């Protein structure tokens, strides 16, 4: 079962019965890390930053920020692993039952206990009559503490006076003194600021009393303190600037890098490149890969599946599976796929031969063997000679999209970007999030026409989005 976790309105203290989601700090589809702030939640007395206790993806947001208060335990959002399907999320939400956080009523048959002695009467509160916008809890606190609300500048919506405004106004003004140990915490607790903002203020000697908070309800945030840190003087601010030694370290090109430089320079100068870009949904491929790898007993990568998909598409579109030699175009029946690998000696492109005839597990084993040889610097001429098509994948480095230079005499190269979670439209017309990859195909226009390249990309897209076809060839 998918690792799905509910995110509910938390309960802080026995008296809390409801809270307001003031602000989301993440968006639907975002991946968050442990310790990252997810949202700000307001109660009658405080505004809390809710931090993530684990890493996951925001699969569904059910409650927007800035609305009405919600009872403790109400489902606010659903978090899960990246590969969890929308159907699983829908089923989870439909069957979710909030935990009962209310104190159970006493039974009629409960034993009778002795009545507690009568409490001393509470001191009479001085009622406050005002036309200003003020929350009920804030008004009660002002009456209890005898706080004059006239000079208070409300930090709520439309200048509304909040509980925190009254609480801060009730405290005596305190000068900021940079101290250490427990005294420091005492000197900072009168300021409505995040813990990190207080630590930064203490570290840099910033007076929190001089800062107007930009956070929810006027809370002083880390960014507010850092803005003053950049402006404040430091022991280094008056030091004269001295330029560092920037003499170059001269490293002659080795043989491999010289060859790569010559070939790529010739490619850009002599080959008329044109490019076709397509976005493909890889949710089905990611799901199938899990099962297929278990059945095949290998750890085939996404790139191995792409090699197979490209090879099958080339077998169907031989006008793309070509080499260009002067005025002659060489067509090939099978796909010899060059896989770009970054080695200690530079970029190399070892070849997976007849990839269209190989199974996924055979491609995975062949690719791993070539990568190991490249990393060890043991690639031979037979590993590099020829090739009818190249694949360059930078997705694992966080690159969304790029264009690759054709590796002559080949007629085309495919640049593969990383997988992104984006909002798309399903077959039923409903909006949903999907895992999407960007493919950029560079072609030699001397040998390959635009229509031929487009037809190849259409076949490749179909094989990736319906990956069962990868096991039919």
């Amino acid at each position: 079962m998918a690792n799905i976790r509910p995110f509910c309105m938390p309960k802080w203290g026995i008296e809390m019965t409801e809270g307001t989601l003031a602000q989301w700090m993440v968006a639907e589809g975002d991946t968050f890390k442990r310790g990252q702030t997810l949202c700000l939640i307001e109660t009658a007395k405080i505004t809390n930053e809710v931090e993530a206790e684990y890493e996951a993806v925001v699969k569904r947001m059910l409650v927007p920020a800035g609305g009405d208060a919600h009872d403790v335990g109400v489902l606010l959002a659903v978090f899960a692993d990246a590969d969890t399907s929308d159907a699983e999320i829908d089923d989870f939400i439909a069957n979710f039952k909030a935990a009962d956080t209310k104190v159970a009523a006493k039974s009629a048959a409960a034993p009778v206990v002795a009545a507690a002695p009568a409490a001393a009467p509470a001191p009479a509160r001085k009622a406050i009559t005002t036309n200003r916008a003020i929350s009920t809890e804030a008004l009660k606190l002002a009456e209890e503490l005898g706080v004059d609300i006239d000079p208070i500048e409300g930090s709520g919506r439309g200048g509304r006076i909040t509980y925190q405004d009254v609480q801060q106004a009730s405290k005596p003004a305190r000068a900021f003194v940079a101290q250490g140990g427990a005294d420091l915490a005492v000197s900072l607790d009168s300021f409505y600021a995040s813990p990190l903002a207080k630590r930064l203020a203490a570290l840099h000697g910033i007076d929190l009393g001089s800062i107007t908070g930009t956070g929810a309800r006027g809370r002083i945030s880390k960014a507010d303190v850092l803005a003053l840190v950049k402006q404040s003087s430091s022991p280094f601010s008056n030091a004269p600037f001295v330029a560092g030694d920037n003499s170059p370290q001269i490293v002659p090109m080795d043989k491999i890098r010289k060859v790569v430089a010559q070939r790529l320079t010739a490619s850009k100068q002599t080959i008329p490149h044109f490019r076709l870009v397509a976005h493909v949904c890889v949710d089905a491929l990611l799901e199938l890969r899990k099962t297929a790898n278990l059945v095949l007993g290998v750890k085939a990568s996404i790139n191995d599946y792409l090699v197979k998909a490209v090879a099958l598409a080339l077998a169907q579109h031989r006008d793309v599976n070509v080499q260009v030699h002067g005025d002659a175009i060489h067509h090939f029946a099978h796909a010899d796929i060059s896989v770009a690998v970054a080695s200690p000696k530079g970029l190399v492109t070892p070849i997976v031969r007849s990839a269209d005839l190989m199974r996924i597990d055979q491609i995975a084993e062949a690719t791993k063997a070539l990568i190991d040889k490249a990393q060890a610097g043991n690639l031979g001429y037979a590993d590099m000679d020829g090739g009818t098509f190249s694949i360059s994948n930078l997705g694992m480095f966080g690159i969304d999209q790029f264009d690759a230079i054709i590796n002559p005499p080949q007629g085309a190269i495919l640049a593969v970007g990383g997988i992104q979670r984006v909002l798309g439209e399903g077959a039923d017309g409903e909006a949903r999030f999907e895992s999407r990859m960007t493919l950029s195909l560079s072609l030699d226009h001397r040998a390959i026409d635009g229509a031929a390249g487009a037809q190849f990309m259409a076949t490749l897209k179909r094989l990736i989005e319906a990956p069962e076809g990868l096991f039919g060839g």
Side-chain angles (χ1 to χ4, degrees):
M1 179 179 176
N3 186 20
I4 304 177
R5 306 192 190 192
F7 178 64
C8 304
M9 179 63 70
K11 184 177 180 65
W12 295 308
I14 194 170
E15 296 180 356
M16 179 178 174
T17 59
E18 64 180 18
T20 301
L21 204 161
Q23 183 179 356
W24 281 109
M25 308 303 288
V26 292
E28 194 166 274
D30 284 355
T31 298
F32 57 82
K33 305 289 185 183
R34 181 177 180 181
Q36 181 177 340
T37 301
L38 299 175
C39 64
L40 303 180
I41 291 181
E42 300 175 354
T43 68
K45 298 182 178 180
I46 59 174
T47 298
N48 261 5
E49 294 179 355
V50 181
E51 294 184 351
E53 298 178 357
Y54 48 84
E55 179 177 347
V57 175
V58 182
K59 284 291 186 177
R60 195 73 54 82
M61 285 182 171
L62 304 176
V63 175
D68 298 328
H70 295 275
D71 291 338
V72 168
V74 167
L75 186 62
L76 303 177
V78 178
F79 304 151
D81 295 336
D83 54 0
T84 305
S85 66
D86 289 337
E88 290 175 297
I89 299 298
D90 293 336
D91 183 65
F92 179 85
I93 294 173
N95 294 286
F96 178 81
K97 293 183 179 179
D100 185 9
T101 59
K102 298 180 180 179
V103 179
K106 292 184 179 180
S107 168
V112 178
V113 296
R125 297 188 305 183
K126 181 180 179 181
I128 297 176
T129 302
T130 180
N131 292 325
R132 296 189 63 187
I134 183 171
S135 70
T136 303
E137 294 296 328
L139 184 60
K140 290 180 181 178
L141 182 64
E143 291 175 342
E144 290 175 358
L145 302 180
V147 175
D148 182 7
I149 66 172
D150 289 338
I152 297 178
E153 183 177 350
S155 62
R157 297 184 183 88
R160 187 169 184 254
I161 299 175
T162 67
Y163 188 97
Q164 287 84 358
D165 296 332
V166 176
Q167 192 175 47
Q168 292 300 316
S170 68
K171 296 180 179 180
R174 305 172 72 171
F176 177 83
V177 180
Q179 302 175 32
D183 291 339
L184 175 61
V186 173
S187 68
L188 293 173
D189 64 1
S190 63
F191 297 101
Y192 185 42
S194 70
L196 181 54
K198 292 179 180 180
R199 289 196 296 270
L200 289 171
L203 180 63
H204 295 281
I206 301 296
D207 181 4
L208 287 179
S210 65
I211 300 177
T212 300
T214 60
R217 299 183 182 272
R219 192 183 195 207
I220 299 172
S221 67
K222 172 186 71 174
D224 298 328
V225 177
L226 288 177
L228 282 185
V229 169
K230 294 177 181 179
Q231 300 171 13
S232 64
S233 60
S234 71
F236 306 100
S237 61
N238 296 322
F241 171 75
V242 178
D245 182 13
N246 200 27
S247 301
Q249 178 187 6
I250 301 175
V251 179
M253 286 187 180
D254 56 31
K255 292 182 179 180
I256 291 181
R257 191 167 293 278
K258 283 182 180 179
V259 172
V260 171
Q262 292 169 357
R263 290 168 63 89
L264 294 183
T265 300
S267 176
K268 288 295 289 184
Q269 290 177 341
T270 63
I271 297 177
H273 287 60
F274 78 98
R275 296 173 178 84
L276 301 176
V277 177
H279 304 289
V280 296
C281 176
V282 295
D283 284 315
L285 179 60
L286 293 173
E287 192 64 30
L288 179 139
R289 173 174 170 257
K290 294 180 181 178
T291 304
N293 280 1
L294 290 175
V295 174
L296 296 173
V298 296
K299 294 182 178 180
S301 66
I302 290 295
N303 203 63
D304 295 327
Y305 284 84
L306 290 176
V307 169
K308 178 65 174 180
V310 167
L312 291 179
L314 288 172
Q316 298 180 41
H317 300 276
R318 292 180 57 186
D319 45 0
V320 179
N321 192 39
V322 299
Q323 291 181 353
V324 181
H325 296 269
D327 295 333
I329 301 174
H330 295 195
H331 294 264
F332 297 86
H334 300 295
D336 293 342
I337 307 295
S338 299
V339 180
V341 178
S343 75
K345 294 186 177 180
L347 180 68
V348 292
T349 54
I351 301 167
V352 180
R353 300 189 184 276
S354 296
D356 54 309
L357 302 180
M358 300 173 73
R359 300 190 307 268
I360 295 292
D361 57 321
Q362 294 171 331
I363 292 175
E365 291 172 0
T367 302
K368 184 179 185 303
L370 290 171
I371 292 175
D372 289 344
K373 291 179 70 175
Q375 296 296 331
N378 295 329
L379 286 173
Y381 179 79
D383 298 318
M384 307 276 288
D385 181 43
T388 63
F389 189 97
S390 290
I391 295 178
S392 180
N393 189 344
L394 294 179
M396 69 285 292
F397 299 108
I399 301 301
D400 297 336
Q401 178 183 343
F402 68 104
D403 296 324
I405 301 174
I406 295 171
N407 181 23
Q410 297 172 14
I413 182 171
L414 184 71
V416 181
I419 298 174
Q420 305 291 325
R421 289 293 292 174
V422 299
L423 185 64
E425 182 178 350
D428 55 1
E430 294 293 328
R432 64 191 60 184
F433 281 90
E434 65 182 24
S435 300
R436 188 179 294 172
M437 174 185 289
T438 301
L439 306 177
S440 178
L441 180 67
S442 299
L443 301 124
D444 185 342
H445 216 331
R446 298 174 302 174
I448 305 172
D449 295 329
Q455 291 167 4
F456 166 81
M457 286 290 271
T459 299
L460 179 59
K461 180 181 175 73
R462 173 176 54 79
L463 287 168
I464 293 173
E465 295 187 341
E468 296 81 5
L470 299 180
F471 296 90

